[in-house]
Amino acid sequence: MKAFEQMKIAIEMLRKQGIESAEKEAEIILSHCLDTDLLSLHRDNPEISDDVLSRIRECLKRRSAREPMQYIIGYTEFYGLRISVGPGVLIPRPETELLVEEAVRMIAQSALGSRKSRIVDLCTGTGCIAIALAREFPVAEVFGTDISGTAIRYARQNAGINGVGNVHFLQGSFFDPLRGFFAGSDAQCEADMVIVNPPYIPHDDIVHLQPEIRDWEPTAALDGGRDGLDAYRLILSEAGNYLQKNGILMLELGFGQAERVREMAENKGYRNITLKKDYAGIKRIFVAHRE
């Protein structure tokens, strides 16, 4: 069987399962299983062996069950990085690339970009934020924490895949792994920047998410409690203990949460608060400084 013939079968199968971008996803599956790029796939229309056909069918079966495409092929692209993903770890989103872009801009425009600064990435997941910042600023010391052992394994693997060595991943909840980490003392980390993409979806909204998210991605990385703000309350209560004076706190925000998070931050004494919009006009990125 030639690739184009199998492509038509794959597209029809995915359409029947309600996959909106069936054509694009069929291309991805075939090119992945054939270990070729899209240009070569369309130019050469290669013959499909029985072994490859079995792999294609298995991928189509998984995608028809609404397993995320990124889990099926095993990776996603993020800020120029190849990030390994799979069940048990949150798939990086384009909105989080905006968070990284803003962090890079702020670091580059300050003295942090030219000295050994310390950056902490909470809820690190795949490690995509921490690895991206560590690669951009090789003199920085970057730490990522996550309560999930699966996430920490993926994060360490991704640092290796991308050849980034100035990043350390620690398992534990939010700031907990940083307590007593340095020099074996009880001293807390004094970071120049704390950056977080926390769980922020209100608990009752999770049931309404796309099945690829609701049924496959880890609930703990999504569920922000009754109003979606539980993680922000914890971060804003504790971040001041870990940030240097004038240190930067950056947060990714959910829809409609910006003003409530701003109010909480002001009540905790943060200053110079700014809110940045994403491409959809949603106030997505929170930036503040510790007094």
Side-chain angles (χ1 to χ4, degrees):
M1 180 183 294
K2 290 282 193 175
F4 289 172
E5 184 181 354
Q6 179 57 44
M7 182 88 71
K8 293 176 182 177
I9 295 170
I11 291 170
E12 184 61 24
M13 183 176 179
L14 294 174
R15 280 177 177 164
K16 285 182 178 178
Q17 299 302 320
I19 307 296
E20 293 182 2
S21 53
E23 294 88 348
K24 179 180 179 181
E25 297 202 13
E27 286 181 334
I28 293 171
I29 288 172
L30 262 70
S31 62
H32 171 69
C33 292
L34 284 162
D35 193 23
T36 190
D37 56 48
L38 291 179
L39 177 61
S40 299
L41 177 68
H42 285 281
R43 182 191 63 206
D44 301 334
N45 188 22
E47 189 75 31
I48 297 177
S49 68
D50 290 342
D51 286 346
V52 171
L53 184 59
S54 294
R55 291 200 295 273
I56 292 171
R57 287 172 175 168
E58 177 62 22
C59 288
L60 289 170
K61 181 181 177 181
R62 291 171 66 183
R63 189 66 187 102
S64 295
R66 304 305 288 266
E67 183 175 353
M69 178 64 75
Q70 294 92 333
Y71 285 0
I72 295 169
I73 65 175
Y75 70 92
T76 190
E77 300 293 332
F78 180 87
Y79 204 74
L81 301 165
R82 188 180 179 99
I83 299 294
S84 178
V85 296
V89 69
L90 193 71
I91 299 166
R93 299 325 199 247
E95 294 86 354
T96 306
E97 288 188 320
L98 294 177
L99 181 67
V100 171
E101 287 176 7
E102 183 63 16
V104 168
R105 187 189 68 79
M106 294 192 70
I107 294 169
Q109 291 182 353
S110 70
L112 299 182
S114 58
R115 64 174 175 82
K116 189 172 183 179
S117 55
R118 182 172 285 168
I119 301 168
V120 171
D121 169 35
L122 306 180
C123 308
T124 195
T126 61
C128 60
I129 294 173
I131 294 166
L133 294 177
R135 186 185 64 171
E136 289 289 329
F137 303 102
V139 297
E141 187 178 29
V142 184
F143 297 85
T145 75
D146 202 292
I147 197 170
S148 165
T150 299
I152 293 297
R153 287 193 294 274
Y154 270 103
R156 289 171 177 163
Q157 176 185 345
N158 284 321
I161 289 170
N162 291 282
V164 176
N166 57 319
V167 60
H168 315 278
F169 292 107
L170 309 171
Q171 185 176 355
S173 179
F174 292 94
F175 292 101
D176 288 352
L178 301 172
R179 296 191 177 113
F181 178 77
F182 298 98
S185 69
D186 293 330
Q188 293 178 335
C189 164
E190 287 194 342
D192 298 284
M193 173 180 284
V194 171
I195 185 167
V196 199
N197 176 21
Y200 56 65
I201 298 174
H203 178 79
D204 290 343
D205 290 354
I206 291 176
V207 69
H208 303 296
L209 296 173
Q210 292 175 310
E212 287 86 349
I213 301 172
R214 180 191 66 223
D215 299 336
W216 290 94
E217 295 195 70
T219 301
L222 301 168
D223 192 341
R226 182 184 57 81
D227 59 0
L229 301 176
D230 283 0
Y232 299 113
R233 293 187 182 95
L234 186 152
I235 293 163
L236 289 165
S237 294
E238 296 193 18
N241 297 324
Y242 295 86
L243 277 168
Q244 301 260 17
K245 185 177 181 180
N246 299 319
I248 302 167
L249 176 63
M250 298 190 66
L251 306 169
E252 183 173 323
L253 306 173
F255 175 76
Q257 295 175 333
E259 297 308 323
R260 286 179 290 172
V261 174
R262 181 207 291 269
E263 182 179 356
M264 286 191 289
E266 289 174 342
N267 290 338
K268 292 294 182 180
Y270 286 89
R271 59 180 179 78
N272 296 339
I273 296 172
T274 58
L275 299 167
K276 306 280 185 177
K277 294 181 180 179
D278 65 13
Y279 297 126
I282 297 169
K283 292 178 180 176
R284 183 68 67 182
I285 299 169
F286 167 100
V287 182
H289 292 75
R290 180 197 169 207
E291 287 191 329

